[in-house]
Amino acid sequence: MVPYETLEILLAPFQRCHKAEPGPDVRLGIQNLQRTLRDHPDWMGAVAAQVGNLPPHGAGWVAVSLGVLVENGHPADPSGPCLLEFFEHLLARFPEISDDDEDYPPLDEAQQIWLDAIPNLARALVSHLARLPDRREDWATTESRMTRLEQLEGYSYAFSWVREAIQRHSAPLTVLHVESRQGYRVHYHNVANCFHLFSLLQCRLGTLLPGGRAPDEAVLAAALGGDGQVSDHGWWHYGWPQHTTPEPLFPIWGEGLTRHLPQVDGEALILLWPMTIQRSWDSGFFGPHLDALPANLTVEGTLSVDEVVETLRQLGG
């Protein structure tokens, strides 16, 4: 347990922090806080629990300090839950937004100050969420939380960082090209949106499957987090395993989330067919690049023809 006097001394510079740009005393406070917590990592939870008692910018710099420690190998469990709980309370401080609102309601002075501090809090949350998959899953499956984050994105892009971090998902995936009886086992890492997944699949599988082509290096770079706006389009019809023929009006929708991909025996499975209706998308569907949760897709192995045929037989094809 942190001695109360020690906690007061550690947080004193942040109690006086009322500007987004840290002054010399706050910079010194950040160094002292990080040095102390490196020696006493079991104090991180107690420090995180005090974030809500600090002025907005002071809270932001304490959160950033905790995030840096987590990125450098300290456990996220002590401080992450406290920061998430505080962030959820903070979301409620902003105006309620109705679907009928044409413009975002104006913020009062206190709300605006907290909004200015949100980017630092969001950076810290992303660092923690990257190492707390159970917390990400809890938030991702709570519709009210996700709706609230989406509503507030119009006030600050930082809310989209948190929403993207929560929705990013990693899992094994089996891809079967039905007509050629070819199949691959892949693993996607930190991919939220199915259009993003489709671009990564196309770039990684390239010419290995009928209908494929050489990857567009600009698309691959953007899908892996690079700068620049690009557009992409589908090479195949991405079909549900429940459909034994391509259903043009019922593809796996690119706008959907990867965590909702169809499952067979507990693992995601996609059937590839020749293109039926052309779909295109841009790199806006790749979401913001998050250093703590970099997107990727790796090809893990090849299925034999017999394995593909047997899987399709079990599906009724």
PDB file of all heavy atoms in Angstrom, residues 18-33:
ATOM      1  N   HIS A  18      -2.966  22.821 -14.983  1.00  0.00           N
ATOM      2  CA  HIS A  18      -4.208  23.319 -15.578  1.00  0.00           C
ATOM      3  C   HIS A  18      -4.035  23.680 -17.053  1.00  0.00           C
ATOM      4  O   HIS A  18      -4.880  24.369 -17.619  1.00  0.00           O
ATOM      5  CB  HIS A  18      -4.703  24.537 -14.796  1.00  0.00           C
ATOM      6  CG  HIS A  18      -5.009  24.232 -13.360  1.00  0.00           C
ATOM      7  ND1 HIS A  18      -6.111  23.507 -12.962  1.00  0.00           N
ATOM      8  CD2 HIS A  18      -4.314  24.529 -12.223  1.00  0.00           C
ATOM      9  CE1 HIS A  18      -6.111  23.381 -11.641  1.00  0.00           C
ATOM     10  NE2 HIS A  18      -5.037  23.989 -11.168  1.00  0.00           N
ATOM     11  N   LYS A  19      -2.944  23.213 -17.661  1.00  0.00           N
ATOM     12  CA  LYS A  19      -2.698  23.498 -19.070  1.00  0.00           C
ATOM     13  C   LYS A  19      -2.363  22.202 -19.803  1.00  0.00           C
ATOM     14  O   LYS A  19      -1.802  21.272 -19.226  1.00  0.00           O
ATOM     15  CB  LYS A  19      -1.546  24.494 -19.226  1.00  0.00           C
ATOM     16  CG  LYS A  19      -1.840  25.873 -18.648  1.00  0.00           C
ATOM     17  CD  LYS A  19      -0.665  26.813 -18.878  1.00  0.00           C
ATOM     18  CE  LYS A  19      -0.965  28.201 -18.330  1.00  0.00           C
ATOM     19  NZ  LYS A  19       0.181  29.134 -18.536  1.00  0.00           N
ATOM     20  N   ALA A  20      -2.696  22.180 -21.096  1.00  0.00           N
ATOM     21  CA  ALA A  20      -2.427  20.989 -21.892  1.00  0.00           C
ATOM     22  C   ALA A  20      -0.933  20.738 -22.039  1.00  0.00           C
ATOM     23  O   ALA A  20      -0.484  19.586 -22.049  1.00  0.00           O
ATOM     24  CB  ALA A  20      -3.074  21.126 -23.269  1.00  0.00           C
ATOM     25  N   GLU A  21      -0.154  21.804 -22.154  1.00  0.00           N
ATOM     26  CA  GLU A  21       1.291  21.667 -22.287  1.00  0.00           C
ATOM     27  C   GLU A  21       1.913  21.650 -20.896  1.00  0.00           C
ATOM     28  O   GLU A  21       1.761  22.601 -20.134  1.00  0.00           O
ATOM     29  CB  GLU A  21       1.867  22.828 -23.100  1.00  0.00           C
ATOM     30  CG  GLU A  21       3.330  22.672 -23.461  1.00  0.00           C
ATOM     31  CD  GLU A  21       3.600  21.503 -24.381  1.00  0.00           C
ATOM     32  OE1 GLU A  21       2.695  21.137 -25.160  1.00  0.00           O
ATOM     33  OE2 GLU A  21       4.712  20.954 -24.315  1.00  0.00           O
ATOM     34  N   PRO A  22       2.615  20.583 -20.534  1.00  0.00           N
ATOM     35  CA  PRO A  22       3.151  20.500 -19.171  1.00  0.00           C
ATOM     36  C   PRO A  22       4.298  21.479 -18.946  1.00  0.00           C
ATOM     37  O   PRO A  22       5.184  21.622 -19.789  1.00  0.00           O
ATOM     38  CB  PRO A  22       3.638  19.048 -19.078  1.00  0.00           C
ATOM     39  CG  PRO A  22       3.959  18.667 -20.491  1.00  0.00           C
ATOM     40  CD  PRO A  22       2.955  19.400 -21.341  1.00  0.00           C
ATOM     41  N   GLY A  23       4.264  22.150 -17.804  1.00  0.00           N
ATOM     42  CA  GLY A  23       5.358  23.036 -17.428  1.00  0.00           C
ATOM     43  C   GLY A  23       6.501  22.243 -16.817  1.00  0.00           C
ATOM     44  O   GLY A  23       6.424  21.019 -16.664  1.00  0.00           O
ATOM     45  N   PRO A  24       7.578  22.940 -16.443  1.00  0.00           N
ATOM     46  CA  PRO A  24       8.754  22.248 -15.880  1.00  0.00           C
ATOM     47  C   PRO A  24       8.426  21.402 -14.658  1.00  0.00           C
ATOM     48  O   PRO A  24       8.962  20.298 -14.496  1.00  0.00           O
ATOM     49  CB  PRO A  24       9.700  23.403 -15.528  1.00  0.00           C
ATOM     50  CG  PRO A  24       9.289  24.525 -16.425  1.00  0.00           C
ATOM     51  CD  PRO A  24       7.810  24.389 -16.586  1.00  0.00           C
ATOM     52  N   ASP A  25       7.539  21.904 -13.776  1.00  0.00           N
ATOM     53  CA  ASP A  25       7.229  21.135 -12.571  1.00  0.00           C
ATOM     54  C   ASP A  25       6.465  19.855 -12.906  1.00  0.00           C
ATOM     55  O   ASP A  25       6.678  18.807 -12.282  1.00  0.00           O
ATOM     56  CB  ASP A  25       6.433  21.990 -11.579  1.00  0.00           C
ATOM     57  CG  ASP A  25       5.137  22.519 -12.169  1.00  0.00           C
ATOM     58  OD1 ASP A  25       5.077  22.700 -13.405  1.00  0.00           O
ATOM     59  OD2 ASP A  25       4.179  22.743 -11.396  1.00  0.00           O
ATOM     60  N   VAL A  26       5.582  19.926 -13.912  1.00  0.00           N
ATOM     61  CA  VAL A  26       4.840  18.723 -14.311  1.00  0.00           C
ATOM     62  C   VAL A  26       5.773  17.729 -15.002  1.00  0.00           C
ATOM     63  O   VAL A  26       5.690  16.517 -14.762  1.00  0.00           O
ATOM     64  CB  VAL A  26       3.655  19.093 -15.225  1.00  0.00           C
ATOM     65  CG1 VAL A  26       2.966  17.830 -15.757  1.00  0.00           C
ATOM     66  CG2 VAL A  26       2.650  19.948 -14.457  1.00  0.00           C
ATOM     67  N   ARG A  27       6.676  18.228 -15.840  1.00  0.00           N
ATOM     68  CA  ARG A  27       7.640  17.326 -16.485  1.00  0.00           C
ATOM     69  C   ARG A  27       8.483  16.603 -15.431  1.00  0.00           C
ATOM     70  O   ARG A  27       8.731  15.390 -15.540  1.00  0.00           O
ATOM     71  CB  ARG A  27       8.542  18.117 -17.436  1.00  0.00           C
ATOM     72  CG  ARG A  27       7.816  18.702 -18.636  1.00  0.00           C
ATOM     73  CD  ARG A  27       8.781  19.448 -19.552  1.00  0.00           C
ATOM     74  NE  ARG A  27       8.077  20.147 -20.601  1.00  0.00           N
ATOM     75  CZ  ARG A  27       7.676  19.581 -21.743  1.00  0.00           C
ATOM     76  NH1 ARG A  27       7.937  18.303 -21.963  1.00  0.00           N
ATOM     77  NH2 ARG A  27       7.033  20.287 -22.655  1.00  0.00           N
ATOM     78  N   LEU A  28       8.906  17.352 -14.424  1.00  0.00           N
ATOM     79  CA  LEU A  28       9.674  16.738 -13.339  1.00  0.00           C
ATOM     80  C   LEU A  28       8.805  15.744 -12.569  1.00  0.00           C
ATOM     81  O   LEU A  28       9.266  14.662 -12.175  1.00  0.00           O
ATOM     82  CB  LEU A  28      10.198  17.825 -12.400  1.00  0.00           C
ATOM     83  CG  LEU A  28      11.193  17.372 -11.318  1.00  0.00           C
ATOM     84  CD1 LEU A  28      12.446  16.791 -11.963  1.00  0.00           C
ATOM     85  CD2 LEU A  28      11.557  18.550 -10.414  1.00  0.00           C
ATOM     86  N   GLY A  29       7.525  16.105 -12.397  1.00  0.00           N
ATOM     87  CA  GLY A  29       6.599  15.204 -11.715  1.00  0.00           C
ATOM     88  C   GLY A  29       6.396  13.906 -12.479  1.00  0.00           C
ATOM     89  O   GLY A  29       6.297  12.825 -11.881  1.00  0.00           O
ATOM     90  N   ILE A  30       6.334  13.990 -13.816  1.00  0.00           N
ATOM     91  CA  ILE A  30       6.190  12.790 -14.642  1.00  0.00           C
ATOM     92  C   ILE A  30       7.401  11.879 -14.460  1.00  0.00           C
ATOM     93  O   ILE A  30       7.265  10.659 -14.269  1.00  0.00           O
ATOM     94  CB  ILE A  30       6.014  13.177 -16.127  1.00  0.00           C
ATOM     95  CG1 ILE A  30       4.658  13.868 -16.341  1.00  0.00           C
ATOM     96  CG2 ILE A  30       6.135  11.948 -17.027  1.00  0.00           C
ATOM     97  CD1 ILE A  30       4.490  14.473 -17.720  1.00  0.00           C
ATOM     98  N   GLN A  31       8.591  12.466 -14.497  1.00  0.00           N
ATOM     99  CA  GLN A  31       9.812  11.674 -14.321  1.00  0.00           C
ATOM    100  C   GLN A  31       9.841  11.009 -12.947  1.00  0.00           C
ATOM    101  O   GLN A  31      10.175   9.822 -12.819  1.00  0.00           O
ATOM    102  CB  GLN A  31      11.038  12.565 -14.505  1.00  0.00           C
ATOM    103  CG  GLN A  31      11.201  13.117 -15.914  1.00  0.00           C
ATOM    104  CD  GLN A  31      12.338  14.124 -16.009  1.00  0.00           C
ATOM    105  OE1 GLN A  31      13.135  14.276 -15.080  1.00  0.00           O
ATOM    106  NE2 GLN A  31      12.417  14.821 -17.134  1.00  0.00           N
ATOM    107  N   ASN A  32       9.474  11.769 -11.925  1.00  0.00           N
ATOM    108  CA  ASN A  32       9.495  11.241 -10.562  1.00  0.00           C
ATOM    109  C   ASN A  32       8.459  10.135 -10.390  1.00  0.00           C
ATOM    110  O   ASN A  32       8.728   9.093  -9.770  1.00  0.00           O
ATOM    111  CB  ASN A  32       9.231  12.376  -9.571  1.00  0.00           C
ATOM    112  CG  ASN A  32       9.389  11.927  -8.131  1.00  0.00           C
ATOM    113  OD1 ASN A  32      10.290  11.160  -7.808  1.00  0.00           O
ATOM    114  ND2 ASN A  32       8.496  12.394  -7.265  1.00  0.00           N
ATOM    115  N   LEU A  33       7.264  10.342 -10.966  1.00  0.00           N
ATOM    116  CA  LEU A  33       6.205   9.341 -10.863  1.00  0.00           C
ATOM    117  C   LEU A  33       6.612   8.045 -11.553  1.00  0.00           C
ATOM    118  O   LEU A  33       6.455   6.949 -10.990  1.00  0.00           O
ATOM    119  CB  LEU A  33       4.916   9.894 -11.481  1.00  0.00           C
ATOM    120  CG  LEU A  33       3.700   8.959 -11.470  1.00  0.00           C
ATOM    121  CD1 LEU A  33       3.286   8.615 -10.048  1.00  0.00           C
ATOM    122  CD2 LEU A  33       2.529   9.597 -12.231  1.00  0.00           C
TER     123      LEU A  33
END
